[in-house]
Amino acid sequence: MPPTDLGLPTSPPSTPVRRLSRQIRVGDVPVGGGAPVTVQTMTTTPTTDVDATLQQIAEITAAGCDIVRVAVPTQDDADALPAIAAKSTLPVIADIHFQPRYVFAAIDAGCAAVRVNPGNIKRFDDRVADIAQAAAAAGVPIRIGVNAGSLDPRLLAKHGSATPRALVESALWEASLFEEHGFRDLKIAVKHHDPMTVITANRLLADACDYPLHLGVTEAGPALQGSVKSAVAFGILLAEGIGDTIRVSLSTDPVEQVKAGIHILQSLGLRPRRLEIVSCPGCGRLQVDIHKLANQVEAAFDGFPHPLRIAVMGCVVNGPGEAREADLGVSCGNGKGQIFVRGQVVRTVPASQVVDTLIDEALRLTEHLPTDQAGESP
């Protein structure tokens, strides 16, 4: 029997046309140059705790992360890098601040890339030649990461604050120092807590250079606020074709950061869809706790290996119409749920059986699909 056509589009009609940038490789992951936009996050474990760090890396790998960054604030952290880099399931970027010697330690440790923050590394400009030579010899790309909170004091004095032009000037100045030594295996990030500053800065960067750009709204905030701010900035920039890799910087578990990033890319058609739940926000017509039901459905389908669109609706006003557009759906009322498959009512069940019934129908709908199609639209 041929595979079931789930009816999901391969991408929205207006998938963004990507800015063509220079391509680098972070381990075995290409970044820029037309490669898929990647999702990154950063471990929150002490880097010195190798086992805990590797466990967290395994968790974010399972969530769909592509690249991981680890903090290296001390010599003990630098000493832990060889074991982490050797055993990590993802390419490891060493995040370096303050001490340039840790850059060389990270390169020697086998890290896939190194992030440097020129604004707070001691006499960084004086060490660029040595860093470029070591990175080139090892085939390790460098990410120039400029943050509003640690901008070079010289540029703060010149511009008065961490304006978009100040952030861009810092990044391009440091890139030019590497270019003087023939090193162009660079990625650039300019970050600010304000989404509009991030948007303006990255537009300026995109016009001024061809390096791949890492997008981030730094210190974005708790889950809701941070996700909204990141989605605003990333959505606008990615829709304009700007951005090659992203991190959603939330005050949450790194797994949640990864999931938020993946949802942003899926919404723009830049990553194949997996599970999508369409659910109503609630109103006075409801006869069911739709928030609870939607959460139950989301939890029940967590990790489901096929791309499905599931409509969870609380009344008959929009329920049937949404169900027609979904692979599966339920429209609830009077203690019951009408179960839809491809817009057709297949059965009516008590409210207590809705979740189990949706799972049964999902398994029936996808029983002939191999699991290696997970995340791919047919």
Side-chain angles (χ1 to χ4, degrees):
M1 182 178 293
T4 302
D5 179 7
L6 296 183
L8 296 180
T10 55
S11 63
S14 56
T15 301
V17 177
R18 303 277 304 284
R19 159 185 173 265
L20 185 60
S21 64
R22 182 188 301 270
Q23 186 172 101
I24 64 171
R25 296 192 72 87
V26 180
D28 59 356
V29 177
V31 176
V37 179
T38 56
V39 175
Q40 302 185 24
T41 190
M42 194 167 181
T43 55
T44 57
T45 55
T47 305
T48 51
D49 190 338
V50 173
D51 290 342
T53 300
L54 289 172
Q55 175 61 36
Q56 192 168 73
I57 291 174
E59 292 168 359
I60 62 174
T61 301
C65 192
D66 301 301
I67 299 169
V68 65
R69 186 154 43 106
V70 300
V72 189
T74 71
Q75 185 61 53
D76 288 341
D77 296 302
D79 292 341
L81 288 177
I84 293 172
K87 298 179 181 179
S88 173
T89 50
L90 296 175
V92 174
I93 299 177
D95 192 72
I96 309 298
H97 299 265
F98 306 117
Q99 293 293 343
R101 70 175 183 272
Y102 299 149
V103 175
F104 303 102
I107 293 172
D108 292 341
C111 289
V114 177
R115 182 269 177 121
V116 295
N117 186 341
N120 61 20
I121 292 183
K122 296 178 180 178
R123 300 182 62 83
F124 179 78
D125 293 359
D126 296 340
R127 303 304 303 273
V128 167
D130 294 335
I131 291 172
Q133 182 179 8
V140 172
I142 299 291
R143 170 180 148 191
I144 297 173
V146 178
N147 276 14
S150 53
L151 188 64
D152 189 311
R154 294 168 295 182
L155 291 171
L156 275 177
K158 175 180 177 180
H159 292 272
S161 65
T163 65
R165 291 192 179 279
L167 296 171
V168 171
E169 183 176 340
S170 175
L172 294 178
W173 165 254
E174 300 302 339
S176 73
L177 296 182
F178 280 97
E179 291 168 355
E180 287 179 3
H181 301 284
F183 189 88
R184 291 179 172 79
D185 205 5
L186 300 171
K187 176 175 59 177
I188 296 179
V190 288
K191 294 189 176 184
H192 197 283
H193 67 270
D194 174 53
M196 297 310 297
T197 299
V198 172
I199 292 166
T200 302
N202 279 279
R203 284 172 172 166
L204 292 171
L205 264 180
D207 288 339
C209 71
D210 67 349
Y211 291 116
L213 303 181
H214 171 78
L215 304 184
V217 178
T218 191
E219 292 96 33
L224 176 59
Q225 177 177 293
S227 294
V228 170
K229 289 166 69 174
S230 298
V232 167
F234 298 175
I236 290 173
L237 288 168
L238 290 169
E240 296 176 1
I242 298 171
D244 302 286
T245 180
I246 65 173
R247 181 199 177 191
V248 182
S249 299
L250 307 176
S251 299
T252 61
D253 186 287
V255 168
E256 297 307 311
Q257 299 178 25
V258 171
K259 289 180 178 179
I262 290 173
H263 279 301
I264 291 171
L265 295 183
Q266 288 177 341
S267 296
L268 291 162
L270 293 171
R271 181 169 287 216
R273 293 182 184 273
R274 284 180 177 258
L275 179 73
E276 180 185 7
I277 295 177
V278 178
S279 59
C280 61
C283 69
R285 295 187 298 268
L286 294 184
Q287 297 178 345
V288 65
D289 187 340
I290 197 66
H291 304 150
K292 179 180 178 181
L293 180 59
N295 287 334
Q296 289 174 335
V297 172
E298 183 178 38
F301 281 87
D302 186 32
F304 194 77
H306 301 291
L308 287 178
R309 183 175 290 121
I310 303 174
V312 182
M313 309 303 294
C315 73
V316 296
V317 173
N318 291 320
E322 289 291 351
R324 281 194 298 271
E325 299 297 322
D327 301 294
L328 300 175
V330 59
S331 182
C332 298
N334 298 320
K336 298 179 181 180
Q338 282 190 324
I339 305 298
F340 295 79
V341 175
R342 296 293 179 76
Q344 301 298 315
V345 177
V346 295
R347 43 180 159 160
T348 300
V349 300
S352 61
Q353 298 178 19
V354 164
V355 176
D356 289 340
T357 304
L358 288 173
I359 293 173
D360 290 343
E361 294 298 336
L363 293 173
R364 183 176 293 110
L365 188 61
T366 60
E367 62 182 332
H368 298 293
L369 286 177
T371 56
D372 62 4
Q373 288 189 12
E376 297 182 5
S377 300

